[in-house]
Amino acid sequence: MSAATALAALAGLTAYAPSAATAQVPGPPRPPAAPVWKSCHSAAFPKLWCASVEVPLDYAHPDGRKITLALSQVPHTAKESLGPLLVNPGGPGGSGLALPGLVAEALPAAVSARYDIIGFDPRGVGKSEPALNCEPGHFTSVRPDPVPHSGAEENANIERAASFAKACGSGKYGKLLEHIDTVDAVKDIDAVRAALRAMRISYFGYSYGTYLGAVYAKLFPQRVRRLVLDSIVDPTGVWYDNNLNQDYAFDARFKAFTAWIAKADSVYHLGSDPGKVEAAWYAVHDELRTRPAGGKVGPGEFEDTFVPGGYYNGYWPDLATALAAYVNKGNEKPLVTLYGNNVTVDGAGDNGYSVYTAVQCRDAKWPRSWQTWHRDTQEVYEKAPFLAWNNTWYNAPCAFWPTGSRSPVDVSNSQLPATLLFQATEDAATPYSGGVIMHSLLKKSSLVVEEGGGNHGITLSGSKCLDGYLSAYLATGKVPRGHGGTADAICQKLPDPVPAAAAVTAKAAAAASGPAPATGDKGLHKLLGTRG
């Protein structure tokens, strides 16, 4: 039976039907009710089914208040199933409901057909109930300049961060905040496993989803069939130190972007010296302090517009075009359009940021003295200015957070089967060292490195080398071993994107001579928790 025929046969079902491999598996003493799956397909995701499951708000009181987790699924179509494959796009705060559709399409059909690919909105996120939204409009433009030029400007940002934290702790969200964290989210994952009546699950996580997966594997190692972590959080730096390290990595990635523009001076006319391009960007930043572009894009919004370029170089041509239009012609429209289309925070963004702060602030202790934040940020800013203050204000509510904090989980683990890790050497959001550290802590892990790559989220993005290792592992459980050095296997990065004006010619040349460059197809990367 073909995959299409099998899917058609499933179309009349309204409840999850576990495969023989997962049927009749005992769960915990009181597992959640099995989810009732209903078609929620769309033109973009024609194979998607949706459901929900109830879990305790507080696992110490399982008979108390319940909350609801939203689930999605692309069901298996093969005769023999490998059971559930839970997927997570990161964040914290990222919705995972669309991800199964993308994963199912991107994997080889013979691989995806053997899994029930399960997405979920973690507690507090998206269509899970209740959804956390502490202070709607927190990112309404124009915000204060992230880089403080006076004590008054710094105090304005401090008050803004403190106001957000206070809003989260007041009213209807007060009790919820104590249970929005990685450990509770991990317990939810196991509740989903129990609801699916599966003895074990496989897990595939990007970005923050790598930490979520590693913590799940630590607390429930016997429940893990296969584990894939892509673009890996340093589990020893959760979360204050990790954010400081991000600042250096994003600054380096920004310099790679300006160097790429400089090489395309014939297209963008911003200079053939990367330093000149960088200076032009900072000059625009300063000009927007007194005259926001379109009345909407001040320095903070300008920074936010360019941050996604640190996650994925497919954004570079659009960003370079907008910068060149502003600098060379005084044309604000491309910049304002990019901000409006890709960065403006709507209700979903407010929800995502609320959960982001709730998880990060609750997961680990943060400095409560603003003097510490100021000293550390200024030290970074002097060496790596691109994101330093912006990132500080993004996390600053944790200095005033109304709940106590947990201690980070030690994810070191020798009880797992072989696991597969992916990491790009120039990743800004999760620097390379995180992948190396996770590799050392997961004793049976194998690390596949994209040499020279700087994108965040590297599998299922066009690399045959990376995706070959991923597909082989999901199909067989086998991982590469023994390349020598830190990595067990090395893949070369994909070519950088083509400058906008040369894209048509280059596309034809690439088709004739080699692999296609990175493009503006941002489907997967739209889901991977960028700040934009």
Side-chain angles (χ1 to χ4, degrees):
M1 180 182 292
S2 69
T5 303
L7 183 62
L10 286 170
L13 299 180
T14 57
Y16 176 77
S19 67
T22 58
Q24 307 302 321
V25 174
R30 289 189 301 275
V36 177
W37 296 99
K38 297 182 179 180
S39 176
C40 57
H41 67 271
S42 64
F45 303 111
K47 302 178 182 179
L48 207 61
W49 296 67
C50 293
S52 62
V53 63
E54 279 195 344
V55 298
L57 171 64
D58 181 356
Y59 279 92
H61 300 92
D63 295 323
R65 179 184 173 186
K66 299 293 193 296
I67 60 174
T68 302
L69 305 178
L71 307 180
S72 63
Q73 174 187 212
V74 175
H76 76 273
T77 55
K79 290 183 179 180
E80 294 186 3
S81 171
L82 290 170
L85 170 64
L86 271 68
V87 295
N88 180 270
S95 170
L97 297 184
L99 190 55
L102 287 170
V103 171
E105 288 188 7
L107 285 172
V111 177
S112 62
R114 298 187 67 193
Y115 285 97
D116 299 309
I117 304 176
I118 308 289
F120 58 99
D121 278 354
R123 56 173 55 204
V125 174
K127 292 187 177 181
S128 291
E129 297 177 353
L132 185 64
N133 193 345
C134 297
E135 192 175 51
H138 181 72
F139 287 97
T140 299
S141 61
V142 174
R143 308 194 309 272
D145 188 342
V147 182
H149 292 254
S150 67
E153 289 185 0
E154 184 166 356
N155 285 336
N157 275 308
I158 292 172
E159 291 172 6
R160 182 171 168 272
S163 172
F164 185 87
K166 182 178 179 180
C168 279
S170 61
K172 60 182 178 180
Y173 297 126
K175 292 183 179 179
L176 185 64
L177 285 192
E178 294 183 357
H179 304 288
I180 302 289
D181 55 65
T182 297
V183 170
D184 279 304
V186 156
K187 292 177 181 178
D188 289 343
I189 290 175
D190 202 56
V192 171
R193 176 204 59 77
L196 297 174
R197 306 303 189 258
M199 179 71 78
R200 293 185 294 167
I201 63 169
S202 298
Y203 178 92
F204 179 12
Y206 291 94
S207 191
Y208 162 75
T210 65
Y211 183 65
L212 186 67
V215 175
Y216 179 79
K218 178 68 173 187
L219 298 186
F220 301 98
Q222 75 281 8
R223 300 300 189 186
V224 177
R225 181 191 296 273
R226 286 169 196 163
L227 179 69
V228 181
L229 308 180
D230 181 333
S231 302
I232 299 164
V233 165
D234 177 357
T236 67
V238 174
W239 289 109
Y240 184 74
D241 289 345
N242 277 356
N243 278 283
L244 292 175
N245 291 334
Q246 260 191 350
D247 296 342
Y248 292 103
F250 267 102
D251 195 80
R253 196 65 183 145
F254 176 66
K255 286 179 168 58
F257 168 60
T258 57
W260 176 83
I261 293 176
K263 287 182 180 179
D265 184 45
S266 61
V267 176
Y268 299 115
H269 307 294
L270 290 170
S272 58
D273 176 2
K276 183 177 179 181
V277 177
E278 191 172 347
W281 187 90
Y282 282 106
V284 174
H285 181 280
D286 289 344
E287 183 176 328
L288 295 174
R289 279 176 54 83
T290 55
R291 194 178 67 83
K296 298 178 180 179
V297 182
E301 292 75 25
F302 182 65
E303 292 176 2
D304 289 352
T305 301
F306 282 80
V307 165
Y311 286 85
Y312 176 53
N313 62 8
Y315 294 108
W316 287 5
D318 289 345
L319 293 171
T321 297
L323 180 63
Y326 188 97
V327 172
N328 296 329
K329 300 179 180 180
N331 182 0
E332 301 177 346
K333 186 175 180 180
L335 178 60
V336 174
T337 298
L338 270 185
Y339 169 72
N341 290 344
N342 298 337
V343 183
T344 302
V345 177
D346 56 11
D350 284 331
N351 166 244
Y353 180 66
S354 296
V355 176
Y356 170 90
T357 50
V359 171
Q360 295 240 327
C361 300
R362 177 73 173 147
D363 267 3
K365 291 180 172 59
W366 293 72
R368 293 287 180 160
S369 166
W370 189 253
Q371 184 177 4
T372 300
W373 290 70
H374 177 94
R375 181 198 66 220
D376 291 345
T377 305
Q378 192 60 32
E379 181 179 339
V380 173
Y381 179 77
E382 291 171 1
K383 301 174 183 177
F386 171 66
L387 194 64
W389 277 105
N390 187 304
N391 206 16
T392 285
W393 299 122
Y394 201 77
N395 293 281
C398 292
F400 312 99
W401 204 245
T403 74
S405 298
R406 293 181 180 270
S407 296
V409 176
D410 174 5
V411 302
S412 59
N413 205 323
S414 60
Q415 301 182 56
L416 297 174
T419 61
L420 189 58
L421 315 180
F422 291 93
Q423 185 66 44
T425 57
E426 311 306 315
D427 186 346
T430 52
Y432 178 68
S433 58
V436 174
I437 291 169
M438 187 73 82
H439 183 33
S440 71
L441 294 175
L442 303 184
K443 297 305 180 185
K444 296 180 184 178
S445 64
S446 178
L447 177 62
V448 180
V449 171
E450 185 186 29
E451 186 69 40
N455 287 337
H456 183 65
I458 57 176
T459 58
L460 305 183
S461 298
S463 169
K464 292 182 179 179
C465 179
L466 295 168
D467 292 351
Y469 288 116
L470 172 65
S471 298
Y473 174 70
L474 289 176
T476 68
K478 293 182 180 179
V479 298
R481 296 290 188 195
H483 182 276
T486 301
D488 293 283
I490 294 177
C491 296
Q492 296 305 308
K493 74 166 189 172
L494 293 173
D496 282 335
V498 174
V504 175
T505 302
K507 183 178 181 181
S513 62
T519 70
D521 183 5
K522 311 173 187 74
L524 176 66
H525 291 87
K526 281 285 189 181
L527 297 179
L528 297 189
T530 70
R531 297 252 313 267

